[in-house]
Amino acid sequence: MIKENLQLDENGRLRHFLTIEGLKRALLMELLDTAESFTSVTEQTVKKVPLLRGRTIVNLFFEPSTRTRTTFELAAKRLSADVLNINVPASATTKGETLLDTLRNLEAMHCDMFVVRHPNSGAAHFIARHAAPGVSIINAGDGRHAHPTQAMLDMFTIRRHKGEFHRLTVAIVGDILHSRVARSQIQALSTLGVKEIRIVAPRTLIPACAETLGVHVHHDLREGLRDVDVIIMLRLQRERMRGAALPSEHEYYQLFGLTEDKLALAAPDAIVMHPGPINRGVEIDSTIADGPRSVILQQVSHGIAVRMAIMSRAMQPRPSQEAAP
Ligand code: CP
């Protein structure tokens, strides 16, 4: 667990966005409210506001991504920033350049913000500790550690459908052990004060520290889904599994896949979420993924407004910059 909180400047203003851990409820609510105000921008014919005009934002993705990378790019463009997408497999990292040297070289080009996805837990914190003054780092997913912007767009989606957090029971189902999304969601849901968080998974996919997370643990999906308001399904993260954590995908689907009969145990107006990418017929049935209770594609859309909110807050002028001529 990374304890150091580099995210706020000396005046308590957001500088980096690395993890939900340590952030106050008021800040999370402010970000959700700001995102709400940006949704109208994404619905206009001219989808732009000038908030980050003249700023340069770099997408630095060392792992594959469809949703996160593209919605960060769209969010930056809608804030009128210039965007650089670094093609990591075609960059000098393949010639042995270190992460820090890559950062230093891009900083030398006067870039203002780096959106970083990396397979190593802690990579975004590492970069933030070494970033030049005035440069912001946004964590777009680091190893098994955190995916805070995903958690925020998930909270935004939940609030839009369900209103007040304190009335809600939320079940997170699937590969909790390897999921940076689950970790960030649990932190966000706890901070926002939901009534109950359940995690539902086979014993081999539950972290050893589960009891310290303030959640109820279930190994039976039917039990875990009973009367919940929100169901968040997770993908099996095969790329992070060592050894055989599961007997087979077929058996997993039988026990932990979300099907119509299991969904019927949740509250009648329960919503179904998934951060994506989804694996149909492994953790979720297609009739549910594409059905009326699914808000999976809304989560993707909301990612733009939420990332606009986070980027604009992290790059708001500091007192020293405001004083400059
Ligand atoms: N949810 C998510 O992080 O998806 P991508 O890997 O496509 O960015």
Side-chain angles (χ1 to χ4, degrees), residues 64-69 117 147 150 275-277:
S65 168
T66 298
R67 285 146 287 269
T68 311
R69 200 198 62 70
R117 172 170 288 192
H147 195 348
Q150 176 70 47

Side-chain angles (χ1 to χ4, degrees), residues 275-290:
I278 62 173
N279 289 142
R280 294 167 185 268
V282 179
E283 71 269 3
I284 189 165
D285 192 271
S286 273
T287 58
I288 296 174
D290 303 328

Side-chain angles (χ1 to χ4, degrees), residues 208-234:
C209 64
E211 66 282 357
T212 66
L213 301 176
V215 299
H216 293 90
V217 179
H218 292 267
H219 303 297
D220 178 324
L221 181 57
R222 291 176 184 277
E223 219 178 83
L225 291 185
R226 204 168 296 281
D227 300 325
V228 297
D229 304 291
V230 177
I231 303 169
I232 304 175
M233 301 304 296
L234 298 175

Side-chain angles (χ1 to χ4, degrees), residues 5-9 13-19 23 27 31 107 112-114 124-139 148 310 313-315 318:
N5 194 345
L6 299 167
Q7 306 190 93
L8 306 178
D9 67 13
R13 304 212 290 190
L14 195 67
R15 177 179 171 204
H16 306 298
F17 197 69
L18 307 172
T19 173
L23 297 181
L27 176 60
L31 289 172
E107 279 180 347
D112 299 292
M113 173 178 277
F114 293 85
H125 279 73
F126 175 77
I127 294 177
R129 274 199 298 277
H130 293 90
V135 169
S136 293
I137 307 298
I138 308 291
N139 185 0
I310 292 165
R313 277 298 290 255
M315 289 184 68
R318 321 241 168 258

Side-chain angles (χ1 to χ4, degrees), residues 177-210:
L177 179 65
H178 300 100
S179 176
R180 57 194 175 206
V181 174
R183 188 184 287 270
S184 291
Q185 286 168 337
I186 291 167
Q187 289 164 351
L189 290 165
S190 303
T191 304
L192 292 169
V194 295
K195 189 169 76 181
E196 184 180 341
I197 306 170
R198 300 180 190 169
I199 57 174
V200 188
R203 286 176 202 285
T204 48
L205 295 181
I206 296 273
C209 64

